Amino acid sequence: MTMANIESVTLEVADPTAASRFYTAAFGLDTQIRLRASEAPTTGFRGFLLALTVSQPATVDGFIGAALDAGATSLKPAAKSLWGYGGVVQAPDGTIWKVATSAKKDTGPATRQIDEIVLLLGVADVAASKRFYVERGLAVAKSFSRMYVEFAAGSSPVKLALYRRRALAKDVGVAPDGTGSHRLMIGGAAGPCTDPDGFAWEATSLAPTP
């Protein structure tokens, strides 16, 4: 079987109940992200981030504010840039989240609508990791040399993308070094495997975890 796309993303956290409260309050995520108890050792940058793409700056501000109120730490305050507007926070469980929009002006009141969820993996060799995933059935949607690759999401609730690890760490405002577990499990139809950067996949389905 091939991967085709991501069917689920599971964050491994010390306290699933507390993490669930945070993600519901901060982002309204109660089904898209799974949680699993884990005390696996990890230090520094875990090598990935989850990004929420939204429609306008006011919605970015709303999500960032809700996350901070729920206990997140600010890594990069929301601000304008050449590509749009966005900010970065770190959840209490250590996961890094980016909330961004390509729009630079508001067109209406803020909402809680998320247009897209992207799992962005920081990898040592984008070309090698791209090859790994293409060989397992993922279709490339965008590719920019050896810097960035985005795969087609299909029916998945989460899109997968690859970015050079050091560039990703710089983008979110943290040091690139880290050791131990990613504290992340990616679910797909192909069954268990591990990519060149140690990100693990498991066989799963879209059905909620009991």
Side-chain angles (χ1 to χ4, degrees):
M1 296 180 69
T2 59
M3 289 177 175
N5 53 40
I6 293 175
E7 292 185 354
S8 67
V9 171
T10 299
L11 299 177
E12 297 180 339
V13 301
D15 186 339
T17 300
S20 178
R21 284 197 300 266
F22 170 80
Y23 287 117
T24 299
F27 305 131
L29 299 175
D30 52 7
T31 60
Q32 301 94 328
I33 302 296
R34 298 180 178 185
L35 301 167
R36 178 185 299 164
S38 175
E39 296 288 349
T42 183
T43 63
F45 183 41
R46 296 181 187 171
F48 75 93
L49 72 83
L50 283 154
L52 305 180
T53 303
V54 300
S55 63
Q56 60 179 351
T59 299
V60 172
D61 289 337
F63 277 123
I64 293 289
L68 294 176
D69 288 345
T73 301
S74 176
L75 296 180
K76 277 194 171 183
K80 290 182 179 178
S81 69
L82 291 175
W83 49 262
Y85 184 85
V88 182
V89 298
Q90 188 166 31
D93 65 78
T95 304
I96 295 174
W97 290 80
K98 185 174 189 176
V99 187
T101 177
S102 59
K104 296 187 178 181
K105 293 183 179 179
D106 293 323
T107 56
T111 71
R112 294 277 289 177
Q113 178 67 39
I114 297 170
D115 296 335
E116 190 173 62
I117 304 174
V118 181
L119 171 60
L120 193 52
L121 304 182
V123 302
D125 185 331
V126 172
S129 293
K130 173 185 175 182
R131 186 163 54 251
F132 174 88
Y133 284 113
V134 168
E135 289 173 352
R136 284 158 180 78
L138 271 71
V140 174
K142 297 178 183 178
S143 182
F144 299 98
S145 186
R146 292 179 174 269
M147 283 294 296
Y148 177 82
V149 174
E150 184 177 292
F151 297 98
S155 60
S156 171
V158 181
K159 179 182 289 186
L160 178 67
L162 311 174
Y163 198 21
R164 289 201 306 197
R165 180 186 173 102
R166 287 190 172 275
L168 181 60
K170 182 178 180 180
D171 182 59
V172 300
V174 298
D177 299 321
T179 61
S181 174
H182 292 298
R183 291 278 187 97
L184 173 73
M185 186 65 71
I186 309 167
C193 67
T194 302
D195 81 359
D197 293 273
F199 290 101
W201 287 68
E202 64 182 355
T204 189
S205 71
L206 287 170
T209 302

